[in-house]
Amino acid sequence: MSLSRRALLKATAASAVLGGIAAPHVARAESAEFTYKYANNLPDTHPLNVRAKEMAAAIKAETNGKFDLQIFPNNQLGSDTDMLSQIRSGGVEFFTLSGLILATLVPAASINGIGFAFPDYDTVWKAMDGDLGAYVRGQINKAGLMVMDKIWDNGFRQTTSSTKAINGPDDLKGFKIRVPVSPLWTSMFKAFEAAPASINFSEVYSALQTKVVEGQENPLAIISTAKLYEVQKYCSLTNHMWDGFWFLANRRAWEAVPADMRATVAKHINAAAVKEREDVAKLNAGLQADLAAKGLTFNQPNVAPFRDKLRTAGFYAEWKGKYGDEAWGLLEKAVGKLS
C-alpha cells in the first residue's frame, strides 16, 4: 500500500512539474536565473498558500523574473518526513514545517508546543518574534538548514469529545484521546491521567466514529476541514498548545542566490507570514460560529488548573530537563514561570 501511495505521490509531483512547465504563466521560467520549489502540507485554499502565491508573484516582479518560486501544496511532493529529507538534500529548496515535527532533527524546535505555556497570541508573537524564536532559529541553522525570521501560524489546539465537555483537568482522567505520534503529546496527556492513543491523522475520523477513542485535539480549521464535528459533540477551547510553521531553506540553494536577491526574497516571505497570521486569526473567529451551527457545543475552561496539574505531575520539570536551562529560560521570560 505504501509503495503504491509513493508511486502515486511521485506521479502527482511529476505531473505538477510538467504541468507547470507547459502552463503559459510560467513560460518565462526559462529566463529565470533561479527556479526554486516551495513544498508544504496544507491545502491550496489555506491562508498559508494564498499568501504564498501573492509572495511568489511579488518576488518575481521585484526581481524582474529572475527568481521564480514554484509552489507545491498539499503534500504533492511527499509526506512531511519525505520533504524534510528533500530540503536537507536539495531536492526542494523551500519547505514549511511544524516545529513539533522538525523536533526529530532539531529537538529545541518543539518548545513552542509545551502544554498551556501560551495564554494568547500576543504572548506567542512576543516569544517567537523575540528571543525564544531567535534561539530556535539558531538551533535550526546549526542543523544545516536556513530559516526565515518569521514563523507562520498553524493555530492553538482545542479538545473535542463525544462524551463530555472538558472543563478542568479532572475531566481528562481516563479520557481516551487521540494524539499525534509524538512524545510531547503523550507525555502531557499522561500527566493529566488521560489515556492517550497515538494514531495517524488519516485514521482519526474512523477512530472517533467507532469509539476507539472518545476525543482528539486540533486547531479549529482542522476540526472543520476534516469534518470531525460529525463524530464529536463537544469542543472545549483549551488552547493547550500553539503550533506554527518554520519557513526552511536548503542552505546550498539559498547561498547560491546573490545577497541582494536573497534580501528581496526574505523580505516578501516574512511579510507574507505576518499577513497569514492575521488571516488565520480571522478564520478561527469565524469557524467557531460555523462549527456551532453544525452541532458542536463550545465551552471555555479556565486554564490555570490545567497548568497547576502539569506542574505538580512533573511535566514541566521533565521537559525543562530535555530542552535545557537556556531554552527554558527564554520560554519563561515570555510566558512567566512554568516549572
Side-chain angles (χ1 to χ4, degrees):
M1 194 67 184
S2 62
L3 279 173
S4 60
R5 175 162 165 73
R6 196 171 297 128
L8 179 64
L9 286 166
K10 283 181 180 173
T12 306
S15 65
V17 172
L18 291 171
I21 291 168
H25 73 278
V26 291
R28 288 171 54 204
E30 289 175 2
S31 62
E33 288 178 30
F34 300 94
T35 303
Y36 278 6
K37 294 191 286 291
Y38 161 46
N40 65 72
N41 65 1
L42 292 171
D44 206 34
T45 51
H46 189 281
L48 178 141
N49 278 308
V50 174
R51 292 299 182 179
K53 285 175 204 163
E54 291 176 4
M55 163 189 99
I59 290 168
K60 196 166 189 178
E62 193 168 331
T63 61
N64 296 316
K66 289 178 181 174
F67 195 101
D68 184 25
L69 184 63
Q70 300 189 338
I71 303 165
F72 295 86
N74 212 26
N75 290 115
Q76 280 181 16
L77 302 186
S79 69
D80 283 343
T81 311
D82 293 333
M83 291 188 286
L84 181 57
S85 177
Q86 289 174 50
I87 190 100
R88 295 180 74 191
S89 68
V92 298
E93 288 81 17
F94 295 108
F95 175 40
T96 33
L97 183 63
S98 155
L100 299 168
I101 299 169
L102 182 57
T104 57
L105 176 65
V106 184
S110 66
I111 195 166
N112 58 264
I114 283 292
F116 295 93
F118 295 107
D120 51 40
Y121 268 122
D122 285 347
T123 312
V124 167
W125 304 133
K126 182 175 79 171
M128 303 314 292
D129 290 339
D131 293 343
L132 183 64
Y135 174 83
V136 174
R137 289 195 302 277
Q139 297 299 304
I140 295 171
N141 290 151
K142 283 180 187 174
L145 292 169
M146 299 301 293
V147 58
M148 298 296 158
D149 289 346
K150 299 291 184 185
I151 192 168
W152 299 53
D153 190 19
N154 187 21
F156 279 100
R157 301 177 79 91
Q158 317 300 351
T159 309
T160 67
S161 165
S162 61
T163 53
K164 61 185 173 184
I166 305 299
N167 285 300
D170 287 348
D171 293 320
L172 289 170
K173 279 185 183 173
F175 184 65
K176 292 186 288 183
I177 183 167
R178 175 268 172 179
V179 295
V181 185
S182 161
L184 189 58
W185 270 277
T186 304
S187 168
M188 181 175 80
F189 283 103
K190 279 187 174 171
F192 287 126
E193 300 172 68
S198 296
I199 298 171
N200 283 317
F201 186 70
S202 57
E203 298 161 29
V204 169
Y205 188 97
S206 61
L208 293 167
Q209 192 175 38
T210 56
K211 303 290 195 289
V212 169
V213 288
E214 297 168 75
Q216 64 83 53
E217 49 78 64
N218 261 301
L220 292 182
I222 291 175
I223 293 167
S224 174
T225 55
K227 298 188 175 181
L228 300 183
Y229 52 83
E230 295 177 348
V231 286
Q232 297 282 268
K233 187 175 178 185
Y234 302 96
C235 183
S236 305
L237 297 170
T238 45
N239 283 342
H240 55 273
M241 292 168 109
W242 176 82
D243 191 21
F245 298 102
W246 286 111
F247 203 105
L248 307 170
N250 174 271
R251 185 187 292 277
R252 288 184 304 279
W254 183 242
E255 289 177 350
V257 179
D260 58 339
M261 198 181 292
R262 280 205 305 266
T264 298
V265 173
K267 174 184 75 175
H268 287 293
I269 291 174
N270 288 323
V274 173
K275 290 175 186 170
E276 184 264 359
R277 295 173 180 182
E278 294 163 3
D279 296 340
V280 171
K282 286 176 193 162
L283 182 68
N284 281 334
L287 276 173
Q288 185 176 335
D290 183 52
L291 289 165
K294 287 174 175 162
L296 268 188
T297 301
F298 282 85
N299 68 298
Q300 180 95 55
N302 176 11
V303 300
F306 291 92
R307 265 193 178 193
D308 291 343
K309 175 70 174 175
L310 290 181
R311 192 175 291 119
T312 56
F315 171 82
Y316 293 130
E318 177 194 345
W319 285 90
K320 178 181 179 179
K322 290 181 179 179
Y323 291 120
D325 289 344
E326 185 183 1
W328 195 262
L330 293 171
L331 174 65
E332 290 192 328
K333 179 182 162 190
V335 305
K337 195 77 175 158
L338 291 170
S339 55

PDB file of all heavy atoms in Angstrom, residues 56-79:
ATOM      1  N   ALA A  56       5.053  34.852  -4.042  1.00  0.00           N
ATOM      2  CA  ALA A  56       5.814  34.398  -5.207  1.00  0.00           C
ATOM      3  C   ALA A  56       5.705  35.406  -6.356  1.00  0.00           C
ATOM      4  O   ALA A  56       6.699  35.697  -7.038  1.00  0.00           O
ATOM      5  CB  ALA A  56       5.312  33.027  -5.654  1.00  0.00           C
ATOM      6  N   ALA A  57       4.496  35.948  -6.546  1.00  0.00           N
ATOM      7  CA  ALA A  57       4.287  36.943  -7.611  1.00  0.00           C
ATOM      8  C   ALA A  57       5.069  38.224  -7.323  1.00  0.00           C
ATOM      9  O   ALA A  57       5.683  38.814  -8.229  1.00  0.00           O
ATOM     10  CB  ALA A  57       2.802  37.251  -7.749  1.00  0.00           C
ATOM     11  N   ALA A  58       5.086  38.634  -6.049  1.00  0.00           N
ATOM     12  CA  ALA A  58       5.810  39.858  -5.661  1.00  0.00           C
ATOM     13  C   ALA A  58       7.317  39.683  -5.836  1.00  0.00           C
ATOM     14  O   ALA A  58       8.019  40.596  -6.294  1.00  0.00           O
ATOM     15  CB  ALA A  58       5.480  40.225  -4.211  1.00  0.00           C
ATOM     16  N   ILE A  59       7.822  38.501  -5.488  1.00  0.00           N
ATOM     17  CA  ILE A  59       9.259  38.213  -5.645  1.00  0.00           C
ATOM     18  C   ILE A  59       9.636  38.236  -7.128  1.00  0.00           C
ATOM     19  O   ILE A  59      10.640  38.829  -7.526  1.00  0.00           O
ATOM     20  CB  ILE A  59       9.610  36.846  -5.006  1.00  0.00           C
ATOM     21  CG1 ILE A  59       9.512  36.927  -3.471  1.00  0.00           C
ATOM     22  CG2 ILE A  59      11.012  36.392  -5.428  1.00  0.00           C
ATOM     23  CD1 ILE A  59       9.561  35.576  -2.773  1.00  0.00           C
ATOM     24  N   LYS A  60       8.793  37.613  -7.947  1.00  0.00           N
ATOM     25  CA  LYS A  60       9.061  37.546  -9.387  1.00  0.00           C
ATOM     26  C   LYS A  60       9.085  38.946  -9.989  1.00  0.00           C
ATOM     27  O   LYS A  60       9.963  39.286 -10.794  1.00  0.00           O
ATOM     28  CB  LYS A  60       8.001  36.677 -10.070  1.00  0.00           C
ATOM     29  CG  LYS A  60       8.389  36.215 -11.468  1.00  0.00           C
ATOM     30  CD  LYS A  60       7.456  35.099 -11.938  1.00  0.00           C
ATOM     31  CE  LYS A  60       7.965  34.491 -13.225  1.00  0.00           C
ATOM     32  NZ  LYS A  60       7.115  33.392 -13.673  1.00  0.00           N
ATOM     33  N   ALA A  61       8.119  39.771  -9.562  1.00  0.00           N
ATOM     34  CA  ALA A  61       8.034  41.141 -10.091  1.00  0.00           C
ATOM     35  C   ALA A  61       9.248  41.963  -9.675  1.00  0.00           C
ATOM     36  O   ALA A  61       9.864  42.643 -10.511  1.00  0.00           O
ATOM     37  CB  ALA A  61       6.747  41.801  -9.603  1.00  0.00           C
ATOM     38  N   GLU A  62       9.613  41.891  -8.400  1.00  0.00           N
ATOM     39  CA  GLU A  62      10.706  42.745  -7.910  1.00  0.00           C
ATOM     40  C   GLU A  62      12.070  42.300  -8.430  1.00  0.00           C
ATOM     41  O   GLU A  62      12.994  43.103  -8.516  1.00  0.00           O
ATOM     42  CB  GLU A  62      10.711  42.789  -6.372  1.00  0.00           C
ATOM     43  CG  GLU A  62      11.619  43.896  -5.851  1.00  0.00           C
ATOM     44  CD  GLU A  62      11.447  44.196  -4.372  1.00  0.00           C
ATOM     45  OE1 GLU A  62      10.339  44.002  -3.833  1.00  0.00           O
ATOM     46  OE2 GLU A  62      12.441  44.632  -3.767  1.00  0.00           O
ATOM     47  N   THR A  63      12.195  41.007  -8.776  1.00  0.00           N
ATOM     48  CA  THR A  63      13.481  40.521  -9.317  1.00  0.00           C
ATOM     49  C   THR A  63      13.470  40.503 -10.852  1.00  0.00           C
ATOM     50  O   THR A  63      14.370  39.916 -11.464  1.00  0.00           O
ATOM     51  CB  THR A  63      13.807  39.104  -8.790  1.00  0.00           C
ATOM     52  OG1 THR A  63      12.769  38.202  -9.215  1.00  0.00           O
ATOM     53  CG2 THR A  63      13.937  39.082  -7.284  1.00  0.00           C
ATOM     54  N   ASN A  64      12.447  41.118 -11.450  1.00  0.00           N
ATOM     55  CA  ASN A  64      12.314  41.143 -12.913  1.00  0.00           C
ATOM     56  C   ASN A  64      12.348  39.742 -13.522  1.00  0.00           C
ATOM     57  O   ASN A  64      12.983  39.500 -14.553  1.00  0.00           O
ATOM     58  CB  ASN A  64      13.421  42.002 -13.548  1.00  0.00           C
ATOM     59  CG  ASN A  64      13.311  43.459 -13.127  1.00  0.00           C
ATOM     60  OD1 ASN A  64      12.211  44.019 -13.110  1.00  0.00           O
ATOM     61  ND2 ASN A  64      14.423  44.065 -12.746  1.00  0.00           N
ATOM     62  N   GLY A  65      11.681  38.829 -12.849  1.00  0.00           N
ATOM     63  CA  GLY A  65      11.566  37.467 -13.362  1.00  0.00           C
ATOM     64  C   GLY A  65      12.770  36.578 -13.106  1.00  0.00           C
ATOM     65  O   GLY A  65      12.787  35.416 -13.523  1.00  0.00           O
ATOM     66  N   LYS A  66      13.770  37.106 -12.416  1.00  0.00           N
ATOM     67  CA  LYS A  66      14.991  36.313 -12.203  1.00  0.00           C
ATOM     68  C   LYS A  66      14.818  35.228 -11.142  1.00  0.00           C
ATOM     69  O   LYS A  66      15.547  34.244 -11.132  1.00  0.00           O
ATOM     70  CB  LYS A  66      16.157  37.232 -11.819  1.00  0.00           C
ATOM     71  CG  LYS A  66      16.646  38.088 -12.982  1.00  0.00           C
ATOM     72  CD  LYS A  66      17.755  39.019 -12.542  1.00  0.00           C
ATOM     73  CE  LYS A  66      18.214  39.886 -13.722  1.00  0.00           C
ATOM     74  NZ  LYS A  66      19.201  40.895 -13.301  1.00  0.00           N
ATOM     75  N   PHE A  67      13.851  35.451 -10.220  1.00  0.00           N
ATOM     76  CA  PHE A  67      13.609  34.442  -9.175  1.00  0.00           C
ATOM     77  C   PHE A  67      12.176  33.945  -9.310  1.00  0.00           C
ATOM     78  O   PHE A  67      11.227  34.688  -9.100  1.00  0.00           O
ATOM     79  CB  PHE A  67      13.837  35.034  -7.779  1.00  0.00           C
ATOM     80  CG  PHE A  67      13.964  33.988  -6.705  1.00  0.00           C
ATOM     81  CD1 PHE A  67      15.211  33.615  -6.219  1.00  0.00           C
ATOM     82  CD2 PHE A  67      12.831  33.358  -6.182  1.00  0.00           C
ATOM     83  CE1 PHE A  67      15.326  32.635  -5.232  1.00  0.00           C
ATOM     84  CE2 PHE A  67      12.932  32.382  -5.203  1.00  0.00           C
ATOM     85  CZ  PHE A  67      14.191  32.019  -4.725  1.00  0.00           C
ATOM     86  N   ASP A  68      12.028  32.693  -9.674  1.00  0.00           N
ATOM     87  CA  ASP A  68      10.718  32.091  -9.907  1.00  0.00           C
ATOM     88  C   ASP A  68      10.458  31.033  -8.845  1.00  0.00           C
ATOM     89  O   ASP A  68      11.101  29.979  -8.832  1.00  0.00           O
ATOM     90  CB  ASP A  68      10.691  31.466 -11.318  1.00  0.00           C
ATOM     91  CG  ASP A  68       9.320  30.898 -11.667  1.00  0.00           C
ATOM     92  OD1 ASP A  68       8.323  31.362 -11.092  1.00  0.00           O
ATOM     93  OD2 ASP A  68       9.259  29.979 -12.511  1.00  0.00           O
ATOM     94  N   LEU A  69       9.529  31.330  -7.925  1.00  0.00           N
ATOM     95  CA  LEU A  69       9.213  30.422  -6.830  1.00  0.00           C
ATOM     96  C   LEU A  69       7.979  29.604  -7.196  1.00  0.00           C
ATOM     97  O   LEU A  69       6.899  30.163  -7.383  1.00  0.00           O
ATOM     98  CB  LEU A  69       8.961  31.223  -5.548  1.00  0.00           C
ATOM     99  CG  LEU A  69       8.697  30.425  -4.273  1.00  0.00           C
ATOM    100  CD1 LEU A  69       9.899  29.572  -3.901  1.00  0.00           C
ATOM    101  CD2 LEU A  69       8.344  31.358  -3.126  1.00  0.00           C
ATOM    102  N   GLN A  70       8.130  28.303  -7.304  1.00  0.00           N
ATOM    103  CA  GLN A  70       7.021  27.429  -7.679  1.00  0.00           C
ATOM    104  C   GLN A  70       6.511  26.690  -6.450  1.00  0.00           C
ATOM    105  O   GLN A  70       7.298  26.084  -5.711  1.00  0.00           O
ATOM    106  CB  GLN A  70       7.479  26.443  -8.763  1.00  0.00           C
ATOM    107  CG  GLN A  70       7.959  27.178 -10.019  1.00  0.00           C
ATOM    108  CD  GLN A  70       8.224  26.245 -11.182  1.00  0.00           C
ATOM    109  OE1 GLN A  70       8.455  25.053 -11.001  1.00  0.00           O
ATOM    110  NE2 GLN A  70       8.208  26.791 -12.385  1.00  0.00           N
ATOM    111  N   ILE A  71       5.191  26.745  -6.242  1.00  0.00           N
ATOM    112  CA  ILE A  71       4.584  26.242  -5.007  1.00  0.00           C
ATOM    113  C   ILE A  71       3.958  24.859  -5.235  1.00  0.00           C
ATOM    114  O   ILE A  71       3.219  24.653  -6.188  1.00  0.00           O
ATOM    115  CB  ILE A  71       3.515  27.231  -4.497  1.00  0.00           C
ATOM    116  CG1 ILE A  71       4.135  28.620  -4.289  1.00  0.00           C
ATOM    117  CG2 ILE A  71       2.877  26.734  -3.202  1.00  0.00           C
ATOM    118  CD1 ILE A  71       3.126  29.736  -4.143  1.00  0.00           C
ATOM    119  N   PHE A  72       4.272  23.933  -4.332  1.00  0.00           N
ATOM    120  CA  PHE A  72       3.718  22.572  -4.368  1.00  0.00           C
ATOM    121  C   PHE A  72       2.998  22.314  -3.049  1.00  0.00           C
ATOM    122  O   PHE A  72       3.619  21.886  -2.077  1.00  0.00           O
ATOM    123  CB  PHE A  72       4.828  21.546  -4.596  1.00  0.00           C
ATOM    124  CG  PHE A  72       5.502  21.682  -5.941  1.00  0.00           C
ATOM    125  CD1 PHE A  72       6.568  22.561  -6.123  1.00  0.00           C
ATOM    126  CD2 PHE A  72       5.056  20.938  -7.022  1.00  0.00           C
ATOM    127  CE1 PHE A  72       7.176  22.704  -7.369  1.00  0.00           C
ATOM    128  CE2 PHE A  72       5.658  21.072  -8.270  1.00  0.00           C
ATOM    129  CZ  PHE A  72       6.715  21.959  -8.445  1.00  0.00           C
ATOM    130  N   PRO A  73       1.680  22.599  -2.981  1.00  0.00           N
ATOM    131  CA  PRO A  73       0.939  22.443  -1.727  1.00  0.00           C
ATOM    132  C   PRO A  73       0.498  20.999  -1.486  1.00  0.00           C
ATOM    133  O   PRO A  73       0.742  20.098  -2.297  1.00  0.00           O
ATOM    134  CB  PRO A  73      -0.278  23.344  -1.952  1.00  0.00           C
ATOM    135  CG  PRO A  73      -0.525  23.275  -3.427  1.00  0.00           C
ATOM    136  CD  PRO A  73       0.836  23.115  -4.071  1.00  0.00           C
ATOM    137  N   ASN A  74      -0.161  20.801  -0.318  1.00  0.00           N
ATOM    138  CA  ASN A  74      -0.954  19.594  -0.072  1.00  0.00           C
ATOM    139  C   ASN A  74      -0.171  18.281  -0.194  1.00  0.00           C
ATOM    140  O   ASN A  74      -0.677  17.302  -0.726  1.00  0.00           O
ATOM    141  CB  ASN A  74      -2.147  19.592  -1.047  1.00  0.00           C
ATOM    142  CG  ASN A  74      -3.363  18.922  -0.420  1.00  0.00           C
ATOM    143  OD1 ASN A  74      -3.504  18.901   0.792  1.00  0.00           O
ATOM    144  ND2 ASN A  74      -4.210  18.381  -1.250  1.00  0.00           N
ATOM    145  N   ASN A  75       1.065  18.276   0.281  1.00  0.00           N
ATOM    146  CA  ASN A  75       1.900  17.056   0.252  1.00  0.00           C
ATOM    147  C   ASN A  75       2.109  16.490  -1.154  1.00  0.00           C
ATOM    148  O   ASN A  75       2.318  15.289  -1.321  1.00  0.00           O
ATOM    149  CB  ASN A  75       1.307  15.952   1.157  1.00  0.00           C
ATOM    150  CG  ASN A  75       1.411  16.272   2.626  1.00  0.00           C
ATOM    151  OD1 ASN A  75       0.408  16.452   3.299  1.00  0.00           O
ATOM    152  ND2 ASN A  75       2.621  16.365   3.151  1.00  0.00           N
ATOM    153  N   GLN A  76       2.068  17.349  -2.182  1.00  0.00           N
ATOM    154  CA  GLN A  76       2.284  16.884  -3.562  1.00  0.00           C
ATOM    155  C   GLN A  76       3.640  16.198  -3.723  1.00  0.00           C
ATOM    156  O   GLN A  76       3.783  15.282  -4.526  1.00  0.00           O
ATOM    157  CB  GLN A  76       2.215  18.058  -4.547  1.00  0.00           C
ATOM    158  CG  GLN A  76       0.822  18.486  -4.916  1.00  0.00           C
ATOM    159  CD  GLN A  76       0.816  19.631  -5.912  1.00  0.00           C
ATOM    160  OE1 GLN A  76       1.828  19.925  -6.545  1.00  0.00           O
ATOM    161  NE2 GLN A  76      -0.319  20.286  -6.044  1.00  0.00           N
ATOM    162  N   LEU A  77       4.628  16.657  -2.967  1.00  0.00           N
ATOM    163  CA  LEU A  77       5.976  16.100  -3.120  1.00  0.00           C
ATOM    164  C   LEU A  77       6.322  15.083  -2.031  1.00  0.00           C
ATOM    165  O   LEU A  77       7.480  14.733  -1.845  1.00  0.00           O
ATOM    166  CB  LEU A  77       7.012  17.232  -3.145  1.00  0.00           C
ATOM    167  CG  LEU A  77       6.821  18.279  -4.254  1.00  0.00           C
ATOM    168  CD1 LEU A  77       7.980  19.256  -4.285  1.00  0.00           C
ATOM    169  CD2 LEU A  77       6.668  17.618  -5.628  1.00  0.00           C
ATOM    170  N   GLY A  78       5.284  14.616  -1.306  1.00  0.00           N
ATOM    171  CA  GLY A  78       5.521  13.583  -0.303  1.00  0.00           C
ATOM    172  C   GLY A  78       5.067  13.992   1.085  1.00  0.00           C
ATOM    173  O   GLY A  78       4.529  15.071   1.291  1.00  0.00           O
ATOM    174  N   SER A  79       5.283  13.118   2.053  1.00  0.00           N
ATOM    175  CA  SER A  79       4.916  13.382   3.446  1.00  0.00           C
ATOM    176  C   SER A  79       5.882  14.406   4.057  1.00  0.00           C
ATOM    177  O   SER A  79       6.904  14.742   3.457  1.00  0.00           O
ATOM    178  CB  SER A  79       4.987  12.091   4.257  1.00  0.00           C
ATOM    179  OG  SER A  79       6.348  11.682   4.376  1.00  0.00           O
TER     180      SER A  79
END
